[in-house]
Amino acid sequence: MRISTIDVTAESPYQVVVGHGALEFLPQYLADQRRVAVIHPPLLRDQAARLGASCECELLLIEVPNAEQAKTGATLQACWDALAGAGFTRSDAIVGLGGGATTDLAGFVAATWLRGVRYVSVPTTVLGMVDAAVGGKTGINLAAGKNLVGSFYEPYTVLCDLALLESLPEREMRSGMAEVVKAGFIADPAILSIIEDDPARALDPGGDEICALVKRAISVKAAVVGADLRERTSVGRDVGRELLNYGHTLGHAIERHEGFRWRHGEAISVGMTFVAELSRRLGRLDDDTAERHRRILAALKLPTSYPAKAWPQLREAMNLDKKTRGDGLRFVILEELGHGAILDNPDEGVLRNAFESLA
């Protein structure tokens, strides 16, 4: 059993446990809890039952819809009603089992039930492990945009059992790798080299490469979050937690435009390609690094293009991005590998032309 731990510095510090067999540690993190509710999607019903049975707690299974369809006010209300019906108190705990959307929802349920109960995150996808489960951001979507309602709430621990990836559909593996690639561009270029050496091996859920990539990507996020938990306002080259939003301004707009039928990583892949091209056109990023985005993402068979005719709708959707301030749109861009910056109020013509180059 190969296990590593990554410390996350926060108001309530916690550890991320990574490796094959990490789930074996769950009982010790719930040893003093009376009951546990496992929030899970339909496909993980049996896994949720086994998870609960491994702990000496009363078990409540709360099934929620798949993927982004779970992140709604109606589902949140249903979770609260289930906890109320079971009489859950502050001596009880919530476990989120599933992809990033499930853990986002479960974390928000834990943050809001009785103003906060113990929460353990068990991500089952690459995306969930390297992005959603670490950092304390929880929330749901609205029709107006993604993650517009939520809270900062740190988990008690995060258990990333890499064995769970072995049954993951290939499309989910590829989607999650977009966030891994992002970590490479914003902070750890070694990630990019591992992928470039053999993209197929990087996608092998049983290989050594995926273990190294997941650990590195989590370490990037843990370091950024630890330095700026609450995402203070970044200015110029002084970029805090907003650095993690690289590629997300356009990416979230694409997700909304697609009715959340696209995987998160697929949309972020286009978003990173766009913002790299935007940076290049503004003279802020060299040609090779901008083109490297396309090469690596395409090697992972992730999308790097989008129809030009969608620009008006996407541009409108970006106005509701969480990074937008009262004085206009803002982007996280790269000025060189591993060094981000904030771009405020870019020229509309340059924005449009950069997007049209992706068509």
Side-chain angles (χ1 to χ4, degrees):
M1 185 166 60
R2 298 168 294 170
I3 298 293
S4 300
T5 57
I6 299 167
D7 294 321
V8 183
T9 303
E11 292 172 1
S12 299
Y14 59 96
Q15 286 189 325
V16 183
V17 183
V18 186
H20 290 79
L23 273 179
E24 293 181 19
F25 292 89
L26 181 63
Q28 76 180 49
Y29 287 108
L30 297 175
D32 56 345
Q33 302 303 109
R34 192 163 61 96
R35 284 176 292 195
V36 59
V38 182
I39 297 176
H40 65 90
L43 287 175
L44 296 179
R45 184 183 302 116
D46 292 343
Q47 177 72 52
R50 289 194 296 271
L51 212 62
S54 71
C55 305
E56 295 182 2
C57 308
E58 295 178 32
L59 177 64
L60 173 66
L61 297 182
I62 302 178
E63 188 170 298
V64 298
N66 285 313
E68 295 292 333
Q69 303 307 314
K71 293 174 61 173
T72 67
T75 303
L76 181 65
Q77 180 70 55
C79 291
W80 288 333
D81 289 343
L83 295 174
F88 260 59
T89 72
R90 286 181 175 157
S91 299
D92 305 320
I94 291 173
V95 173
L97 174 70
T102 303
T103 58
D104 277 357
L105 170 72
F108 194 35
V109 173
T112 51
W113 183 252
L114 300 178
R115 298 188 177 90
V117 296
R118 181 176 299 183
Y119 173 57
V120 175
S121 180
V122 183
T124 61
T125 65
V126 175
L127 178 63
M129 291 179 184
V130 305
D131 184 37
V134 180
K137 281 187 176 181
T138 70
I140 60 171
N141 303 329
L142 299 179
K146 185 170 179 177
N147 295 329
L148 293 180
V149 177
S151 67
F152 289 96
Y153 192 70
E154 290 122 22
Y156 189 69
T157 193
V158 180
L159 301 177
C160 298
D161 194 326
L162 299 178
L164 294 171
L165 301 180
E166 294 176 7
S167 59
L168 203 63
E170 183 177 311
R171 186 181 178 191
E172 287 291 349
M173 284 292 297
R174 297 185 188 283
S175 172
M177 288 300 291
E179 290 285 354
V180 176
V181 170
K182 180 197 76 177
F185 276 112
I186 65 173
D188 185 0
I191 288 173
L192 307 178
S193 298
I194 293 171
I195 296 171
E196 288 171 321
D197 285 346
D198 193 336
R201 286 287 297 167
L203 288 164
D204 180 0
D208 291 336
E209 289 82 358
I210 193 66
C211 185
L213 289 168
V214 167
K215 288 178 185 176
R216 283 183 171 275
I218 291 174
S219 295
V220 168
K221 183 159 190 181
V224 173
V225 167
D228 182 18
L229 177 65
R230 298 284 174 170
E231 197 172 273
R232 61 179 171 74
T233 300
S234 302
V235 179
R237 292 181 176 87
D238 182 17
V239 187
R241 184 171 177 154
E242 282 189 81
L243 184 63
L244 298 171
N245 288 318
Y246 184 65
H248 284 55
T249 301
L250 179 66
H252 283 167
I254 289 175
E255 284 185 277
R256 180 184 171 196
H257 188 257
E258 293 289 338
F260 298 104
R261 291 182 294 272
W262 273 38
R263 299 292 193 272
H264 175 73
E266 294 166 344
I268 299 311
S269 178
V270 178
M272 285 191 290
T273 307
F274 164 74
V275 80
E277 177 63 19
L278 176 63
S279 304
R280 186 190 70 79
R281 287 172 178 259
L282 291 170
R284 305 282 288 271
L285 186 66
D286 64 277
D287 292 346
D288 184 65
T289 303
E291 190 57 35
R292 196 178 184 190
H293 284 69
R294 295 178 189 260
R295 291 198 305 268
I296 293 175
L297 294 166
L300 294 170
K301 298 184 180 177
L302 285 165
T304 59
S305 62
Y306 204 76
K309 66 181 180 181
W311 176 247
Q313 292 83 12
L314 296 176
R315 179 63 187 85
E316 181 180 358
M318 284 191 288
N319 285 330
L320 275 173
D321 183 80
K322 297 188 298 302
K323 294 175 295 304
T324 298
R325 303 291 188 258
D327 57 351
L329 197 60
R330 60 198 264 128
F331 290 88
V332 179
I333 63 170
L334 280 190
E335 294 194 317
E336 61 180 293
L337 199 59
H339 295 278
I342 296 297
L343 174 66
D344 284 305
N345 246 346
D347 179 82
E348 292 291 336
V350 177
L351 282 176
R352 184 177 59 254
N353 290 338
F355 180 76
E356 288 175 350
S357 74
L358 308 185

